[in-house]
Amino acid sequence: MLDKLIKKLQRHSGIESKKDIQSAAKTFSHSPFSELGKSAMLGDDAAVIPQQSGLLLMASEGISPSLVEEEPWFAGWSSVLVNISDITAMGGKPIALVNSIWSENDLEKHNKILSGMSFACEKFNVPMVGGHSNQKSPYSALSVSILGIIEGPVLSSRFADSGDELWIIANKDGYFFKDYPFWDAATRASATLLKKHFSLIPLLAKKNIIHAAKDISMGGITGTAVMFAESAGKKIVIDIEKIERPKGVPEFDWLTCFPSYGFLCAIKPDKANFLKGALRPYDELICCHIGYFYNGNSSVYIKNSNGAELLWEEDTPLTGFTHIN
């Protein structure tokens, strides 16, 4: 009777499903924080993180199902990159990541996702410390969450004020990833350069040069500007003729793409020379003043030498995260 129970227990789906974790166990370091010894090794119910000083930051990103399906390695890479950008945009430093992968019975695709994440973790020196794997799903899906720390000023987008200048900081040394609106200036970059780039925004915050920021996301420059205006409760006017872009890249494509390194920043006019001076050593980075914040209803206007046109106003909410006085 006992042997029948044992065989039944061995075949139980709850046990069998745990085998899906093996792929992740083969991919990521089992000791992300070796200084903590066995207590921080992967495999327990939650990750142990070294004690930090300062405020904690958390973020999470879900990746487009079509990208996961068609480009699993790049989806894995991007899932780490976008989370690190979110922490950076707040003026913070990334500490650790966790993931959730749902995939069909396709081990090759599953491993490509893991490989892309692992490559990014090594490039950015941010460990993957846990997650969830399901290789028997009827669909493929990927989400990644991140923990960060901030020791200097918080770069909340709500801190933008009337009279502030709107600037773009972005890496022009990249290329569009296949037919996707993703400007990739990271996968071929060295880990040393990436570290310098992603340390810049927190450094500029500590020096009180930048006081509000947002990373340029899937909405591109213009869509991110809308989110900025919505949360800041300000009117933004963008001079489209002042937006620098990589050579050969069409205007619309640059305005709407998702750059691997790109931020919209609010600064006081008297900080402009300090900002340009801080970025002068980085020839690969675009650093340009493209507009202003004004009092008034949350809105975004695009102008050129012929006049200005309304792009968005608060009567048609975008995210719904509005400014609170």
Side-chain angles (χ1 to χ4, degrees), residues 59-115:
S60 183
E61 293 279 354
I63 304 303
S64 166
S66 61
L67 186 66
V68 175
E69 185 66 33
E70 298 164 9
E71 301 291 341
W73 187 94
F74 194 77
W77 154 266
S78 299
S79 68
V80 172
L81 171 68
V82 294
N83 273 284
I84 290 174
S85 291
D86 286 342
I87 296 297
T88 302
M90 296 293 291
K93 173 187 175 183
I95 300 297
L97 298 137
V98 295
N99 67 80
S100 289
I101 309 177
W102 297 76
S103 60
E104 300 149 294
N105 189 21
D106 188 339
L107 187 58
E108 181 181 3
K109 181 190 298 181
H110 188 88
N111 286 338
K112 284 181 179 179
I113 294 171
L114 290 171
S115 176

Side-chain angles (χ1 to χ4, degrees), residues 87-221:
I87 296 297
T88 302
M90 296 293 291
K93 173 187 175 183
I95 300 297
L97 298 137
V98 295
N99 67 80
S100 289
I101 309 177
W102 297 76
S103 60
E104 300 149 294
N105 189 21
D106 188 339
L107 187 58
E108 181 181 3
K109 181 190 298 181
H110 188 88
N111 286 338
K112 284 181 179 179
I113 294 171
L114 290 171
S115 176
M117 288 194 291
S118 178
F119 180 80
C121 287
E122 291 178 7
K123 277 263 190 176
F124 292 103
N125 194 29
V126 182
M128 188 69 69
V129 299
H132 175 82
S133 295
N134 183 342
Q135 297 178 34
K136 301 171 183 65
S137 168
Y139 54 84
S140 296
L142 172 63
S143 67
V144 172
S145 299
I146 191 167
L147 176 69
I149 188 78
I150 184 164
E151 297 175 345
V154 176
L155 295 178
S156 171
S157 54
R158 290 181 169 83
F159 291 159
D161 202 0
S162 177
D164 287 349
E165 295 180 354
L166 179 66
W167 285 68
I168 289 177
I169 298 174
N171 191 345
K172 63 185 177 182
D173 283 358
Y175 55 93
F176 281 110
F177 177 73
K178 299 186 177 180
D179 294 328
Y180 294 91
F182 302 146
W183 181 256
D184 183 7
T187 55
R188 298 178 184 175
S190 70
T192 300
L193 184 62
L194 291 175
K195 182 179 179 180
K196 288 180 179 179
H197 283 175
F198 281 90
S199 297
L200 265 176
I201 301 299
L203 179 62
L204 294 170
K206 287 181 179 179
K207 290 186 175 183
N208 198 31
I209 296 174
I210 292 172
H211 62 270
K214 285 194 77 69
D215 77 303
I216 300 172
S217 59
M218 288 297 295
I221 293 170

Side-chain angles (χ1 to χ4, degrees), residues 38-71:
K38 290 183 179 180
S39 66
M41 291 186 69
L42 302 193
D44 281 316
D45 294 327
V48 176
I49 307 296
Q51 187 172 348
Q52 308 290 329
S53 61
L55 300 175
L56 294 176
L57 300 170
M58 292 190 72
S60 183
E61 293 279 354
I63 304 303
S64 166
S66 61
L67 186 66
V68 175
E69 185 66 33
E70 298 164 9
E71 301 291 341

